[in-house]
Amino acid sequence: VLSFIIFICYIASLAASFMMAPLLEFLLALFLFFAYASKLNEKFKGVHWPLADFLRCITAAVIYFAISIAAVSKYNDGASKAAGVFGFAATIVFAVDFYITFNDLVTFLKQGSSDSPEGGKTE
């Protein structure tokens, strides 16, 4: 929802060149939401879903932080400032999501290493 609000703010602002990042992030978040809601993560075991979500969180936080600084410092209209403020809020939200997803990723990777046949070796 925050990505969509930022997208709308960038459309209405002078910083319209930044609108592609929130749009792509919104669509990617929507895809992952529907993938988890429809249990695609259980059907397609070849895709590392926690890793995909982890990388999405990292890139979104970095990109939102960068374009928010540019929107707030370079443009003077209200919509650009609002998009920048919402972008900083999105950076915080994605950083929290990054932390939560990191814990899920560590659990996921530990499960994968416990299934390996190396545990059965004896000296």
Side-chain angles (χ1 to χ4, degrees):
V1 172
L2 203 53
S3 294
F4 186 70
I5 291 171
I6 295 168
F7 171 69
I8 297 298
C9 288
Y10 278 128
I11 287 177
S13 72
L14 295 174
S17 60
F18 295 137
M19 73 177 183
M20 187 56 84
L23 176 65
L24 289 175
E25 185 56 42
F26 172 71
L27 293 176
L28 189 58
L30 198 63
F31 168 73
L32 285 174
F33 174 74
F34 283 119
Y36 280 118
S38 62
K39 306 286 186 194
L40 283 178
N41 58 335
E42 295 173 2
K43 294 176 185 173
F44 295 106
K45 296 287 186 182
V47 178
H48 297 287
W49 293 96
L51 181 61
D53 200 19
F54 177 74
L55 292 175
R56 180 189 63 89
C57 291
I58 290 175
T59 56
V62 170
I63 289 171
Y64 275 131
F65 186 69
I67 65 173
S68 296
I69 288 174
V72 169
S73 64
K74 188 175 179 182
Y75 298 97
N76 291 326
D77 61 323
S80 295
K81 301 286 184 191
V85 169
F86 281 122
F88 287 127
T91 300
I92 293 168
V93 167
F94 280 113
V96 170
D97 193 21
F98 156 74
Y99 177 74
I100 294 168
T101 306
F102 180 74
N103 291 334
D104 291 342
L105 181 63
V106 168
T107 304
F108 178 77
L109 292 175
K110 283 182 182 177
Q111 288 175 352
S113 66
S114 66
D115 294 338
S116 66
E118 296 173 2
K121 292 182 180 179
T122 59
E123 292 184 30

